[in-house]
Amino acid sequence: MALTVMVTGLSATSGVREKMIPKTNGKLRRLGIPTAADRAVQAVLKLVLEPIFEADFKPCSYGFRPRRRAEDAIAEIHFLGSPARNYEWVFEADIKACFDEIDHTALMERVRRRIGDKRVLHLVKAFLRAGILGEDGLVVLARRSVLDAVREIADSALVTADSSCPVGER
């Protein structure tokens, strides 16, 4: 079915069902559960898109990447903090609810720079527009602009330019 959708361009994304799950700090985290059909299409899209965008990441980036685990990032931190390397600072950042609130127009502009196949672009856009079926039964479209997300980061942390990788990795 997923391949049929990719080849024919048919798309009827259902959105995701919201399930709020408790975090250890007492707050709740939104978990989105796609339908089986949407999950199959998403898996095919991942196979198409991942190799293209993976090439853009620096070796020191570990978040949500194939064959890279949190344990690998921690091992690199220990290595770089060892007396032989003598690094003193580690910078880790997280954009609150990034995937829930990312600006879809800005995201699609960046995807279009790398992807020319209109069928793939249509599917990505369809998933972005599908929305979330909340636990209360209402459909929600949660988005903020990239500018709002950047302001949130700037308010919560001092960020220095190009400090994300060790000097030898830039």
Side-chain angles (χ1 to χ4, degrees), residues 10-150:
L10 298 174
S11 170
T13 57
S14 305
V16 295
R17 180 177 301 268
E18 175 186 63
K19 178 66 179 164
M20 299 303 286
I21 58 173
K23 294 168 65 172
T24 55
N25 63 5
K27 295 182 181 181
L28 295 174
R29 181 174 77 85
R30 175 187 286 163
L31 177 65
I33 306 167
T35 64
D38 284 353
R39 184 65 190 105
V41 175
Q42 290 170 3
V44 172
L45 276 173
K46 181 180 184 281
L47 290 172
V48 171
L49 297 174
E50 188 174 71
I52 295 167
F53 289 99
E54 179 64 22
D56 294 339
F57 289 102
K58 293 183 177 183
C60 62
S61 174
Y62 286 89
F64 299 101
R65 293 184 60 201
R67 296 172 302 283
R68 289 178 176 264
R69 306 169 304 144
E71 292 85 352
D72 298 328
I74 292 168
E76 185 169 353
I77 289 168
H78 285 288
F79 170 71
L80 294 173
S82 69
R85 298 295 300 223
N86 203 26
Y87 283 89
E88 296 179 11
W89 292 90
V90 172
F91 180 79
E92 189 269 340
D94 187 20
I95 300 172
K96 180 181 172 185
C98 175
F99 296 113
D100 295 336
E101 302 182 21
I102 195 163
D103 184 299
H104 294 178
T105 303
L107 177 63
M108 284 306 299
E109 286 173 10
R110 283 160 182 81
V111 171
R112 276 189 206 95
R113 290 180 195 164
R114 302 292 300 277
I115 306 298
D117 189 319
K118 297 212 183 292
R119 296 167 299 177
V120 173
L121 293 170
H122 174 75
L123 283 170
V124 172
K125 194 174 203 177
F127 279 113
L128 291 173
R129 288 184 173 171
I132 301 162
L133 177 61
E135 287 184 324
D136 57 5
L138 299 175
V139 175
V140 179
L141 297 175
R143 330 185 322 194
R144 284 188 318 175
S145 71
V146 172
L147 183 58
D148 291 337
V150 169

